[in-house]
Amino acid sequence: MSTIAPAPVPAALAPRAVPAASADDARPRTYVVRTLGCQMNVHDSEHMAGMLEEAGYTRASADDEASNRADVVVINTCAVRENAATRLYGNLGQLASVKAARPGMQIAVGGCLAQKDRGTIVEKAPWVDVVFGTHNLDALPVLLERARHNEAAQVEIAESLQVFPSTLPTKRESVYAGWVSISVGCNNTCTFCIVPHLRGKERDRRPGEVLAEVGALVEAGAIEVTLLGQNVNSYGVEFGDRGAFAKLLRACGTIDGLERVRFTSPHPAAFTDDVIAAMAETPNVMPQLHMPLQSGSDRILRAMRRSYRSERFLGILDRVRAVMPDAAITTDIIVGFPGETEEDFAETMRVVEASRFSSAFMFQYSPRPGTPAATMDEQLPKEVVQERFERLQALQERIAGEESARQVGRTIDVLVGEGAGRKDGATHRVTGRAPDNRLVHLALPEDVVPGVPDDAASAGAGTPGSVDPRLADDLDARLPRPGDVVTVEVTRSAPHHLIADSALADGGTFAVRRTRSGDAWATRERARLGGGDDDHGHGHGGGAASGPVVLGLPTVRA
C-alpha cells in the first residue's frame, strides 16, 4: 500500500479538525454518496454507505442532500470515459464554497479515478479530505477519522485488493432488487480499457458465498437479483471450474422467493452454449442479455484486442433467440476507434442492423492515458467521429423503435419501482420493468389514487397512511407498491419505453400481485416516517432486515 503526501493547502479550504459528532452533538454526522459510473460503482457505493452507517453516520435527509448540507460527501468516481475527470472536478468545484462556509464538513473521493489519479486530486482540489482507491474501500471510515484528527488530507491507495468488497457492510438502495458481485477485476487486455489496471486481475467468489448473499437478500425481501462481474463468463476459472457460471444461474433457480435473475456483463469470446441453456431452462433467469459488441469490424476488433469476430457475435445472438425468441438484447459500441475507416464503420452498421438490439450504449472513442489505444496512430478527427456517431445513433433509434413496437398487444408482468417516470405525476402512471428489463409506464384505474412522489408530497403530513396512500391500513387492492408486480397489456411504444394503459379500457388487463418486496418496502417506509427521518424513498436497502449483509472472505482452492 502506498500513501501519498498531500500538497500544501490554503488555510481557508484545508481539511480541518471536527468533532466526532456534528456541530449539534445530539445527532450523528450525516453523509451522502454520489455515484459516477457503472453498476460496479453503484454496488461499491452501497458498500461505502454500509461502512459509514456501521461507523455511526446516518444518511442525510433529502433536503440536506439537495442543499449540500451533509457533513460528509463521498464521490465514487469512474475513469472509463474522457469526461470522468471533468465530472469529478465539476462536483468538487461546487462543493468548495459550500465547505468553506461549513466548518467540519468533509469531502472524500474514491473509485476508479481516485485509483488512477492518486495524489493529483488533492493537488487540484486541496479542500478534499480523503482520497481512497478501488482496492481499499474498507479504509473510508478510518481515513475520515484520521483526517479530522490530523487536520490534513489523507490519501491512501492500495495496489492490490485488501478486502473482498462483498464481505463489507452493505446499505442496499432497494428493498426489491439487489446487486451481487460474483467477481472483481478483469483478465482481459482490451486496448481501449483501463479497468483491469484500476481494478486488478479477476478474483472469483466461491459459489456458496454468492448463493448465501443471494439468499440473504431474498430473506430480506428482494425478489430480483443482478449478478455482477467485469466478465461473468470467465467466472470459475480461478477455482478451476469453467462451467461455474452456468451452474450458478441454475442454482439461483432453486432459491425460493427469487423471481428474477439478471447478470452483467458477459464477454462474447467466453460466452458458451451451457450458459444459453441455463438461461433458457431456468425459469427465473430473465429473457434479457447485455452483450458488448464494441465494433462490427473484424479488423478493429483485432486492434481492440477483442478475441471474437462479428460472425461469432451474431451466432451467439442467433442461438440465444432460438431458445428465447423474445429476449431483449442490449450492447455497448465504440465509434471512432483509432484507424477506423469508413469501411470499418459500415461493418458496425451492418452488424447493428442484423443484431436488432433493444437498446445500445454508444460512445465516441476517447483516449485513456495508460491504455495501448491512447498511443496508436490514426487518431480520428472529432468531426469524423461525431458524424459517424450520429449515423449510428439514428440507425439504433429506428431499430429500438421497431423492436418496441413489436411489444404492443403483449401481456406482461411489471415489477413496480420506487422511481417515477418524468411525467408520472401528471399522467397518474407508475413505472417499472418488464421481465426483459424494458421500462414500462403503466396506468392505474381512473378512480385509484397513485402513490407517486408528487401525490405523496401534496397529501400532507401526519401518519404514514396520510402521507402516502400506498401505506394506508386499508390499502386499495388495485394500488401497487414498489416491489409489487402488475399484469398489464402494452398499448403503445416508444424507442426507450413502453406504455401500458390497459387499466383504462373497459375490461382491460390489469391485476396487482402483492409480494414480499412490497411488504418490505412498506415496512421500511413506515419505520422511516414513524421515526421522523426525512430520507427519500431510495435511501435504505435491506428490506425488513435492517442489518448489513456480511459474508466470509472467499478462498481459492489449491
Side-chain angles (χ1 to χ4, degrees):
M1 178 180 294
S2 62
T3 303
I4 303 171
V9 181
L13 288 176
R16 60 194 75 180
V18 294
S22 299
D24 176 4
D25 286 338
R27 68 175 178 87
R29 285 171 60 76
T30 60
Y31 75 91
V32 62
V33 180
R34 298 180 182 176
T35 306
L36 309 176
C38 66
Q39 296 96 329
M40 285 287 187
N41 275 24
V42 172
H43 192 33
D44 283 348
S45 291
E46 292 183 331
H47 294 313
M48 294 173 192
M51 289 183 295
L52 290 173
E53 298 219 355
E54 189 172 75
Y57 296 80
T58 62
R59 181 165 178 166
S61 69
D63 287 343
D64 284 351
E65 182 173 344
S67 303
N68 286 321
R69 291 195 298 265
D71 297 313
V72 173
V73 176
V74 182
I75 303 178
N76 187 10
T77 63
C78 173
V80 172
R81 308 303 304 161
E82 189 175 18
N83 67 354
T86 302
R87 295 179 66 193
L88 169 63
Y89 291 111
N91 271 269
L92 293 178
Q94 292 175 346
L95 291 172
S97 58
V98 176
K99 183 180 179 183
R102 295 193 66 241
M105 180 182 176
Q106 288 185 292
I107 301 169
V109 178
C112 290
L113 196 64
Q115 186 79 22
K116 173 181 171 292
D117 285 358
R118 304 178 178 237
T120 62
I121 291 175
V122 171
E123 183 179 331
K124 293 180 179 179
W127 51 94
V128 169
D129 299 84
V130 168
V131 179
F132 62 107
T134 59
H135 296 314
N136 61 327
L137 301 182
D138 57 305
L140 174 59
V142 172
L143 293 175
L144 287 168
E145 286 295 321
R146 194 185 301 165
R148 286 202 296 267
H149 181 271
N150 294 348
E151 302 185 45
Q154 301 298 304
V155 181
E156 210 168 87
I157 304 294
E159 300 299 338
S160 60
L161 194 66
Q162 303 299 295
V163 177
F164 206 94
S166 294
T167 67
L168 300 173
T170 306
K171 193 67 174 178
R172 301 283 179 177
E173 282 292 306
S174 168
V175 295
Y176 54 85
W179 310 100
V180 175
S181 291
I182 67 173
S183 64
V184 295
C186 183
N187 293 335
N188 294 316
T189 57
C190 302
T191 56
F192 57 81
C193 186
I194 198 169
V195 168
H197 174 67
L198 300 179
R199 290 192 176 266
K201 292 293 186 182
E202 183 174 320
R203 292 274 306 277
D204 293 339
R205 300 174 69 192
R206 294 304 297 267
E209 289 150 355
V210 174
L211 294 170
E213 185 175 357
V214 173
L217 277 172
V218 172
E219 182 69 22
I223 60 175
E224 176 177 304
V225 163
T226 301
L227 305 176
L228 286 178
Q230 297 293 344
N231 178 7
V232 294
N233 297 117
S234 63
Y235 173 72
V237 171
E238 188 182 23
F239 53 80
D241 185 355
R242 291 184 176 272
F245 185 60
K247 295 173 185 175
L248 186 64
L249 290 178
R250 292 184 185 275
C252 285
T254 67
I255 298 176
D256 289 340
L258 180 58
E259 298 186 16
R260 297 185 175 195
V261 178
R262 308 185 191 277
F263 59 87
T264 195
S265 290
H267 192 293
F271 201 82
T272 50
D273 287 348
D274 62 335
V275 173
I276 297 175
M279 292 176 65
E281 296 166 9
T282 309
N284 63 357
V285 176
M286 294 294 96
Q288 174 218 349
L289 178 64
H290 184 75
M291 181 67 74
L293 170 63
Q294 306 303 0
S295 176
S297 163
D298 291 350
R299 192 181 72 85
I300 294 299
L301 288 171
R302 280 191 291 271
M304 289 178 167
R305 216 178 285 158
R306 301 282 288 180
S307 48
Y308 57 89
R309 301 296 173 255
S310 60
E311 290 312 303
R312 171 174 171 77
F313 183 92
L314 290 171
I316 292 171
L317 304 196
D318 287 343
R319 293 197 299 278
V320 168
R321 286 176 169 140
V323 293
M324 291 175 286
D326 296 327
I329 300 176
T330 58
T331 198
D332 299 325
I333 303 172
I334 296 173
V335 178
F337 188 80
E340 180 189 78
T341 65
E342 182 62 31
E343 289 75 19
D344 294 321
F345 179 68
E347 281 295 284
T348 295
M349 296 282 278
R350 176 187 69 84
V351 174
V352 168
E353 181 76 67
S355 297
R356 310 298 300 176
F357 298 119
S358 60
S359 68
F361 298 93
M362 295 175 288
F363 307 95
Q364 298 184 40
Y365 171 76
S366 59
R368 307 308 298 131
T371 63
T375 58
M376 286 180 177
D377 295 333
E378 300 183 86
Q379 303 282 332
L380 300 186
K382 168 65 177 175
E383 58 271 18
V384 171
V385 179
Q386 180 67 36
E387 190 274 336
R388 289 177 184 171
F389 178 80
E390 290 173 2
R391 271 193 282 158
L392 180 62
Q393 198 171 43
L395 172 62
Q396 177 54 39
E397 192 78 358
R398 172 178 65 77
I399 292 170
E402 292 168 355
E403 291 301 302
S404 283
R406 293 178 57 237
Q407 310 305 310
V408 175
R410 292 184 176 178
T411 298
I412 56 175
D413 291 333
V414 180
L415 175 58
V416 175
E418 287 187 280
R422 185 164 52 88
K423 298 179 181 179
D424 280 1
T427 61
H428 286 194
R429 292 190 181 101
V430 296
T431 292
R433 294 281 176 177
D436 65 8
N437 211 36
R438 282 186 167 92
L439 187 68
V440 183
H441 305 293
L442 63 94
L444 303 177
E446 288 183 335
D447 59 335
V448 173
V449 178
V452 297
D454 286 350
D455 297 278
S458 63
T463 66
S466 68
V467 172
D468 189 330
R470 296 171 296 182
L471 300 177
D473 291 335
D474 56 343
L475 175 65
D476 189 325
R478 300 166 298 166
L479 177 59
R481 308 160 299 180
D484 286 339
V485 175
V486 185
T487 302
V488 287
E489 181 182 317
V490 179
T491 54
R492 285 189 288 134
S493 69
H496 305 294
H497 66 265
L498 304 176
I499 299 291
D501 285 346
S502 54
L504 303 179
D506 188 21
T509 301
F510 182 84
V512 175
R513 176 168 63 85
R514 299 287 179 223
T515 69
R516 296 176 304 100
S517 290
D519 295 342
W521 176 86
T523 298
R524 185 196 71 184
E525 288 301 286
R526 288 192 180 99
R528 178 181 70 80
L529 293 171
D533 184 358
D534 191 33
D535 265 350
H536 54 64
H538 299 281
H540 298 335
S546 59
V549 176
V550 181
L551 300 171
L553 183 68
T555 58
V556 180
R557 184 173 62 195

